[in-house]
Amino acid sequence: MRIWVSLTVLAAFLLVGLPLALNATKAPDGLETIRAGYRRSAVIPFPSSNPHSEAKSALGASLFFDPLLSGSKTRSCASCHNPSLSWADGLPRAIGEDPKGLPIRAPTLIDVAFTQPLGWDGKFRDLESVAFGPIKNPANMNLSEPELIARLSAIPAYVDAFAHAFGEGAITRPRIEAALATFERSIVAGEAPFDRWIGGDDAAISAAAKHGFQLFNGKARCSSCHSGPSFSDGSFQDIGTAKDNDIGRGRLFPTSAKLRYAFKTPTLRDVARRGPYMHDGSVATLEDVIELYNTGGIDRPSRSPQIKPLSLTASEKKDLIAFLQTLTASSPTSVAPRLPR
């Protein structure tokens, strides 16, 4: 795996640029080592099969924001993954070309480069394999592969952009996938008060938030899944909320009792402004999320062993919320690229 260290053409509004030297102040109760585990890297991983280039990233950005990728020419990838809405859409369930909507929420793309496989049930092995899922889905973007390629090939500016990114040759599905994935890997979390705190600014977060961090890594058990700089270990867990035929990763592994009702652990970056919550948008507020974990959800064989009643006090719940609010970065200025026409 190759690692890219320069900034993308859209770095200004993606708010990359976290501190490289993090000299955290001493934390009480032995939390110094725990804090170190949340320090962000300045590099983004790109696979050797699809190394980064500025030309590919710029092309991917154009494709991402272009409604030409939908059957009606009215919806783009950014319709469900809006940078102004923390790269999600703020809806309980995603809505595509079918007004009935989709059965699950649109996940945020923040830090998507760091948590493969992808999708709520993990059905996509990498970012390259994601793109044509929503594009071809009749309920989502509703556009066939031949029609998309024909549309792009009919626009000289796109033909030139693909040639610049990949060299001479036809516009193909693999090239579309590679360009979109390259751009999407550049979507990383912006600097939040929490990052400044572990970087050494002891005044960056409140005393309540600091106590919430201790709870997050201790009594509340949050860090058993929401760990590391992206606040996700990329695992799939049944947290005791899904019901009936909503079995998540169990569809892919029907003989696994533990994966029934299991869904991917999402990042907590920008979580305070990304409600409603869970894969199906069934939990309205962060307070409701904390209460759900406090009670333990549905007790069944597939439920994660980490999910059990926590006996959190009202004060502890408030401190957890105070900590989660420190993961909110400044809002980027959303400026879509000029589309090739």
Side-chain angles (χ1 to χ4, degrees):
M1 178 177 288
R2 296 179 61 186
I3 301 296
W4 169 66
V5 296
S6 65
L7 296 177
T8 72
V9 292
L10 294 181
F13 84 83
L14 294 180
L15 296 178
V16 189
L18 295 172
L20 298 180
L22 297 171
N23 300 311
T25 56
K26 286 292 181 181
D29 302 325
L31 286 181
E32 186 69 18
T33 300
I34 295 175
R35 284 169 59 162
Y38 291 94
R39 294 176 181 174
R40 294 186 63 77
S41 172
V43 299
I44 300 172
F46 286 83
S48 58
S49 58
N50 186 21
H52 176 269
S53 77
E54 293 289 349
K56 262 194 295 188
S57 186
L59 172 59
S62 294
L63 293 169
F64 187 90
F65 286 93
D66 200 333
L68 199 69
L69 271 66
S70 65
S72 65
K73 301 182 182 180
T74 62
R75 299 189 63 80
S76 69
C77 303
S79 297
C80 286
H81 304 288
N82 187 333
S84 296
L85 297 173
S86 298
W87 299 94
D89 61 9
L91 300 174
R93 308 285 181 94
I95 297 177
E97 298 247 315
D98 186 341
K100 294 179 182 178
L102 295 154
I104 55 175
R105 295 189 66 214
T108 179
L109 295 186
I110 293 173
D111 281 3
V112 72
F114 300 94
T115 56
Q116 297 179 159
L118 303 165
W120 285 111
D121 59 4
K123 64 184 174 183
F124 302 112
R125 68 182 182 277
D126 53 30
L127 271 170
E128 284 76 10
S129 66
V130 173
F132 275 81
I135 289 173
K136 294 173 64 176
N137 186 340
N140 200 335
M141 298 176 78
N142 192 31
L143 184 65
S144 71
E145 178 182 330
E147 176 62 19
L148 172 55
I149 291 173
R151 288 183 182 184
L152 297 175
S153 299
I155 300 174
Y158 261 125
V159 174
D160 291 345
F162 272 89
H164 183 51
F166 296 101
E168 295 301 320
I171 295 175
T172 63
R173 174 172 174 164
R175 288 183 168 189
I176 295 169
E177 291 171 333
L180 279 167
T182 299
F183 168 68
E184 288 164 359
R185 285 191 175 96
S186 72
I187 299 172
V188 298
E191 185 183 52
F194 172 78
D195 299 301
R196 294 194 291 275
W197 178 57
I198 63 170
D201 181 358
D202 198 55
I205 68 176
S206 67
K210 293 171 186 175
H211 182 230
F213 178 69
Q214 292 179 299
L215 291 165
F216 185 92
N217 289 278
K219 180 180 178 180
R221 302 173 180 265
C222 310
S223 64
S224 61
C225 296
H226 293 285
S227 57
S230 296
F231 288 85
S232 171
D233 62 1
S235 66
F236 298 84
Q237 306 286 339
D238 172 16
I239 60 172
T241 60
K243 300 176 182 178
D244 303 323
N245 294 321
D246 190 14
I247 60 173
R249 197 156 174 77
R251 282 191 295 270
L252 306 180
F253 298 91
T255 62
S256 172
K258 292 304 293 181
L259 291 177
R260 191 171 181 84
Y261 304 111
F263 291 85
K264 186 169 182 177
T265 301
T267 177
L268 295 184
R269 290 286 177 170
D270 275 15
V271 69
R273 61 182 177 205
R274 288 198 290 105
Y277 302 98
M278 307 305 165
H279 70 283
D280 57 359
S282 60
V283 182
T285 68
L286 276 181
E287 288 77 9
D288 293 335
V289 171
I290 298 300
E291 189 54 41
L292 184 151
Y293 282 110
N294 192 45
T295 57
I298 301 170
D299 186 3
R300 55 195 175 199
S302 57
R303 190 180 70 175
S304 168
Q306 296 297 327
I307 304 299
K308 58 185 66 177
L310 301 173
S311 300
L312 296 172
T313 67
S315 177
E316 288 171 334
K317 294 174 190 177
K318 289 181 180 179
D319 288 352
L320 270 174
I321 297 293
F323 164 67
L324 292 172
Q325 290 170 337
T326 72
L327 303 181
T328 301
S330 300
S331 297
T333 301
S334 174
V335 180
R338 182 177 180 180
L339 300 179
R341 290 294 185 266

